[in-house]
Amino acid sequence: TDPEFQYEKAVYYFNNAEYSRSLELLENLLTLYKGTEKSEDIYYYYVYNNFHLKDYISTIFHADNFTSNFISSPRNEEIAFLSAFSHYNDTPRYSLDQKKTTNAIDALQNFIQTYPDSDSVKVATNYIIILNKRLEKKYFENAKQYFSTGKYKAAIHAIDYFLDDYPETDLREEISFIQVKSYFEL
């Protein structure tokens, strides 16, 4: 029943990687300490517990709330990067819908624009490159699929769009060959 003891135990559990137990205690403490100096620390641990439990949607939500509620916090850059990184971790493999991938790219670019001097900018840039490669693979496979199913006109147009979007792709030779074969079959 002692909130101070609960907080100490929550931090203890967090430091010992018992994130579920820590999260449960912190949820109770969020309302008890709302508006106090300790609320920032509690929310900080709360965000990280969600992240370590791989609940990326909750991490994104609470990290964004953290930066909104604690505007002058020295932890904002760290939490903003955690939010962007959670967007990255929440992206699906290339064969699925890529809405979350474009959201992750936007979140990472927003982080770079907001904190251009951050040590994490290089990492965020690398994640953007990885996500763009995933999108490239998705559109490449879509164009290739049109050819495989005998929809040669659609394949030609899809390849044109692909080459417009990714002019320096490593897949240029293969996709161009598929386009030539599509013209031939057509």
Side-chain angles (χ1 to χ4, degrees), residues 5 7 19 21 32 58 63 70 90 130 147 150 172 180 184:
F5 181 70
Y7 176 73
Y19 303 115
R21 295 178 85 180
L32 289 174
S58 292
F70 305 105
D90 196 39
I130 291 167
F147 176 78
R172 190 179 226 353
V180 169
F184 177 78

Side-chain angles (χ1 to χ4, degrees), residues 100-170:
K100 287 185 176 185
T101 303
T102 55
N103 290 344
I105 291 170
D106 291 343
L108 289 161
Q109 286 175 333
N110 186 38
F111 172 79
I112 291 169
Q113 289 172 347
T114 306
Y115 302 99
D117 298 328
S118 172
D119 295 338
S120 301
V121 166
K122 194 172 192 175
V123 175
T125 303
N126 286 335
Y127 289 146
I128 290 171
I129 291 168
I130 291 167
L131 294 174
N132 277 321
K133 287 285 185 194
R134 187 177 302 163
L135 290 176
E136 179 181 331
K137 176 113 172 114
K138 168 81 172 180
Y139 296 130
F140 170 78
E141 292 297 331
N142 285 350
K144 201 163 111 176
Q145 187 70 27
Y146 284 125
F147 176 78
S148 300
T149 56
K151 298 177 180 160
Y152 304 117
K153 232 179 192 179
I156 291 166
H157 291 297
I159 292 167
D160 283 339
Y161 291 129
F162 174 81
L163 292 172
D164 285 345
D165 289 344
Y166 302 99
E168 296 185 19
T169 180
D170 296 337

Side-chain angles (χ1 to χ4, degrees), residues 11-42:
V11 172
Y12 172 80
Y13 291 142
F14 178 83
N15 290 332
N16 289 298
E18 295 180 54
Y19 303 115
S20 295
R21 295 178 85 180
S22 178
L23 187 70
E24 188 177 330
L25 290 172
L26 291 171
E27 281 178 345
N28 295 334
L29 296 174
L30 281 174
T31 53
L32 289 174
Y33 283 100
K34 188 172 184 156
T36 66
E37 290 180 24
K38 198 169 236 172
S39 65
E40 181 183 333
D41 293 335
I42 292 168

